[in-house]
Amino acid sequence: MHNYYVYITTNKNKTVLYTGVTGNIAARLWFHEEGARLNQNNFTARYNCYHLIYWEHFRNVKSAIARETEIKGLKRWKKEALINAFNPEWRFLNEELM
């Protein structure tokens, strides 16, 4: 069985949203946080965007990629609605998945 995740991360102040897809969400979150710590030159590092606030699970990579593309195309308010339905307090969920 395969596991794929579409996820949204944010920064400490919850002002920036990043949407991604991965087959190993714990490793990807570590990668985002480590990149920020090392001041790497990528989006999640520049904006310290490694706090997980939303995720969806898929068994099929094509479905996961299609969903990531769909979410990336949403307006901010629609992304916020997704997050609010899943995680109304916008708690950081990193520790729950590790």
Side-chain angles (χ1 to χ4, degrees), residues 30-42:
W30 178 87
F31 177 79
H32 289 320
E33 188 169 359
E34 189 70 5
R37 189 181 68 75
L38 297 173
N39 294 317
Q40 292 180 346
N41 189 24
N42 59 49

Side-chain angles (χ1 to χ4, degrees), residues 9-12 16 18 28-51:
T9 57
T10 190
N11 61 345
K12 186 175 96 172
V16 178
Y18 173 81
R28 183 61 56 95
L29 293 171
W30 178 87
F31 177 79
H32 289 320
E33 188 169 359
E34 189 70 5
R37 189 181 68 75
L38 297 173
N39 294 317
Q40 292 180 346
N41 189 24
N42 59 49
F43 185 89
T44 58
R46 273 195 310 269
Y47 295 100
N48 294 306
C49 205
Y50 54 83
H51 299 286

Side-chain angles (χ1 to χ4, degrees), residues 4-6 19-22 56 58 60-74:
Y4 302 97
Y5 299 88
V6 174
T19 303
V21 64
T22 185
E56 294 180 25
F58 295 85
N60 179 288
V61 69
K62 288 182 181 181
S63 298
I65 291 169
R67 181 62 171 151
E68 177 202 24
T69 301
E70 180 183 359
I71 291 173
K72 282 186 172 190
L74 296 176

Side-chain angles (χ1 to χ4, degrees), residues 69-93:
T69 301
E70 180 183 359
I71 291 173
K72 282 186 172 190
L74 296 176
K75 301 281 186 191
R76 166 98 188 197
W77 68 270
K78 287 189 177 184
K79 292 177 188 178
E80 289 176 355
L82 272 177
I83 297 162
N84 287 333
F86 181 82
N87 179 6
E89 292 90 31
W90 286 48
R91 292 177 298 110
F92 299 150
L93 306 172

